[in-house]
Amino acid sequence: MRFSGIFTRLIGTLTILNVCVGSLALLPSAFIFPLYIYPNNSCSNWAPLLSAIPTYSNLQFILVINPASGPGLAGSQPDVNYQACVTQLRDAGMDHGNVKMIGYVRTGFGGRPLNSITTDIDTYAGWAATAQAGVDYHVEGIFFDEAVTNSGNISSYQNYASYAKMKLGPDAYVRLFIRKILTFVLRKTNDNDTFCSIAMLQITLNPGTWDDGTSSSDVFSFADMIVTFEKTFNDFQASVFPSGASTPRNKQTAIIHTGPESAPMDMVMTITQTLGLGASFYSDLPNTKAYNQFPTSWPGYLDELVSAQASTKN
């Protein structure tokens, strides 16, 4: 009973601390990155991202971690490069709380066996169990790829989301809280944002498209973000994004590839201002390369995201 009381107080404290997230000066439209690039020794392949995170400290980075079309073998840990480099990504965003990492899980458009999906989630949960001072490569949510949003599949995806929240939920927060206390003490920092960077678990579904005729808005009731557009630059238009109280655009994401080297600023303004999307990604590269290479003009799109949102701030 005593442990239960302590645990309850810890969760209550974490709930209060999570309010700090809203006070951070993060822009409302985030950058999502399907980070399917192997980090390599010394994180050299991720160096551009590691540099960008503290530079764009008011921009939320949602990073999809994907070692092997998922976490790898059942019950496995990522290799030492992933362990070290995911930790570096987290540390790069520590001061401003602008990094959130979510684990990739393939769902096979509703055809992948349930036990395969839950095994992937269990494996990511095992990563969280290793969190300690100096090394922490846990994920803070799941990116369910190849999702189906029609009414016949909604219950399956709701079950996936519930399972992920159960496996990656309160226990992971306690581990994260302990690590942040250790970091605070060891670094002797006075920056209160160190505590305020604790993030809520994020569930993202990626159907890649939205069909008003078959897609069910019910997915918005249990998912934090829906990728309602994953197509080429030439396919992009504002009218393809659903609108309304049941399909809020601040919970929608656009993933755009195969375009000009620099994203046209009018498109970025449409994403951030006209539509008010929760997150976006842009690459000039085709979809076969867009997620395993940095865009040619990196970090140009980040500049544009920040500029477009700053232009109407205040």
Side-chain angles (χ1 to χ4, degrees):
M1 291 296 290
R2 183 178 179 183
F3 175 79
S4 176
I6 293 172
F7 183 81
T8 300
R9 285 193 295 274
L10 273 173
I11 297 303
T13 301
L14 288 172
T15 302
I16 294 170
L17 288 171
N18 267 305
V19 175
C20 294
V21 174
S23 67
L24 293 174
L26 295 180
L27 297 168
S29 191
F31 175 69
I32 187 168
F33 195 164
L35 188 61
Y36 307 165
I37 303 168
Y38 184 72
N40 212 358
N41 296 331
S42 303
C43 313
S44 58
N45 288 348
W46 287 1
L49 181 58
L50 286 164
S51 175
I53 289 168
T55 300
Y56 300 90
S57 58
N58 61 343
L59 183 65
Q60 178 81 64
F61 288 78
I62 303 170
L63 308 177
V64 184
I65 304 301
N66 184 17
S69 293
L73 296 176
S76 65
Q77 298 293 314
D79 70 25
V80 292
N81 291 328
Y82 261 100
Q83 291 182 27
C85 298
V86 170
T87 298
Q88 285 195 32
L89 289 175
R90 189 177 307 287
D91 288 345
M94 181 72 74
D95 287 342
H96 299 279
N98 66 325
V99 171
K100 180 178 292 186
M101 283 173 281
I102 57 179
Y104 177 96
V105 172
R106 181 179 63 85
T107 67
F109 302 103
R112 192 174 181 217
L114 172 63
N115 67 330
S116 297
I117 293 170
T118 55
T119 295
D120 277 357
I121 296 169
D122 290 341
T123 300
Y124 282 121
W127 293 11
T130 65
Q132 56 185 294
V135 180
D136 186 358
Y137 47 92
H138 80 278
V139 297
E140 298 157 322
I142 296 295
F143 182 89
F144 290 107
D145 197 19
E146 300 177 351
V148 181
T149 55
N150 61 48
S151 57
N153 287 274
I154 290 299
S155 61
S156 294
Y157 283 92
Q158 189 165 17
N159 290 336
Y160 302 158
S162 296
Y163 189 79
K165 290 174 182 177
M166 177 184 69
K167 299 296 289 189
L168 298 171
D171 288 350
Y173 285 144
V174 171
R175 284 187 289 270
L176 179 57
F177 183 51
I178 291 171
R179 177 176 184 262
K180 290 191 183 295
I181 291 176
L182 290 171
T183 301
F184 179 82
V185 172
L186 292 174
R187 293 181 181 177
K188 296 181 174 61
T189 177
N190 291 319
D191 185 355
N192 290 331
D193 284 348
T194 300
F195 291 104
C196 292
S197 63
I198 297 174
M200 296 296 288
L201 190 72
Q202 179 166 312
I203 300 299
T204 298
L205 268 61
N206 180 23
T209 189
W210 186 266
D211 185 337
D212 285 330
T214 61
S215 297
S216 171
S217 62
D218 289 347
V219 296
F220 284 88
S221 68
F222 60 85
D224 302 292
M225 199 75 75
I226 311 289
V227 181
T228 48
F229 183 92
E230 184 185 7
K231 295 181 182 179
T232 70
F233 166 78
N234 286 337
D235 291 320
F236 180 85
Q237 51 185 315
S239 61
V240 303
F241 295 90
S243 63
S246 62
T247 55
R249 283 179 167 167
N250 64 354
K251 295 181 73 171
Q252 296 183 48
T253 296
I255 295 179
I256 306 161
H257 56 77
T258 321
E261 184 171 317
S262 296
M265 195 61 187
D266 61 347
M267 183 190 76
V268 184
M269 292 296 291
T270 297
I271 288 170
T272 59
Q273 302 300 332
T274 306
L275 296 172
L277 299 185
S280 63
F281 170 83
Y282 179 84
S283 175
D284 59 307
L285 303 174
N287 65 338
T288 55
K289 298 180 179 179
Y291 313 139
N292 52 37
Q293 296 180 32
F294 282 88
T296 304
S297 62
W298 179 272
Y301 187 63
L302 306 185
D303 285 323
E304 292 179 306
L305 273 178
V306 171
S307 177
Q309 296 180 79
S311 67
T312 59
K313 195 173 182 180
N314 299 324

